[in-house]
Amino acid sequence: MGIGIHTGKVLAGNIGSQQYAKYRVMGSNVNLAARIETYTVVGGQILVSLKTLESVRGLVRVDLQTYISLITDKINAIAWEFLHTPTIARNINK
């Protein structure tokens, strides 16, 4: 099992009645992250969308551009494999 990350607005909160409520996130951005995750091939692999990559550029190192086809949404997407966060780790240790 891997991880798919996409950046965007979602609907998040407790959904249900007072007796039975669960925290949920919904929306097309959640669905895209879930679909990106299905393209992970090894345990622990992390794939990020272009929108996420643009948000954290310079903070993370990525490799292996992967083209993914999301036919149901009639769009093609590109995901990158997330390698590590050298800049973030250095900033935390200061």
Side-chain angles (χ1 to χ4, degrees), residues 13-94:
N14 290 315
I15 298 174
S17 65
Q18 288 182 334
Q19 290 81 22
Y20 184 77
K22 283 200 161 194
Y23 188 81
R24 301 273 192 221
V25 289
M26 297 185 287
S28 60
N29 291 312
V30 176
N31 295 340
L32 182 53
R35 290 187 178 144
I36 290 171
E37 186 275 330
T38 65
Y39 283 84
T40 61
V41 292
V42 294
Q45 184 180 29
I46 302 171
L47 295 178
V48 298
S49 69
L50 175 60
K51 192 168 183 182
T52 298
L53 181 62
E54 289 171 347
S55 297
V56 297
R57 191 171 299 279
L59 298 175
V60 298
R61 192 171 133 222
V62 295
D63 195 22
L64 299 174
Q65 187 175 13
T66 303
Y67 292 89
I68 60 178
S69 180
L70 305 172
I71 296 170
T72 56
D73 289 336
K74 296 183 176 130
I75 62 168
N76 288 321
I78 302 171
W80 285 264
E81 183 175 2
F82 180 86
L83 298 177
H84 59 72
T85 58
T87 305
I88 293 172
R90 265 185 268 139
N91 290 338
I92 291 172
N93 292 329
K94 287 184 179 178

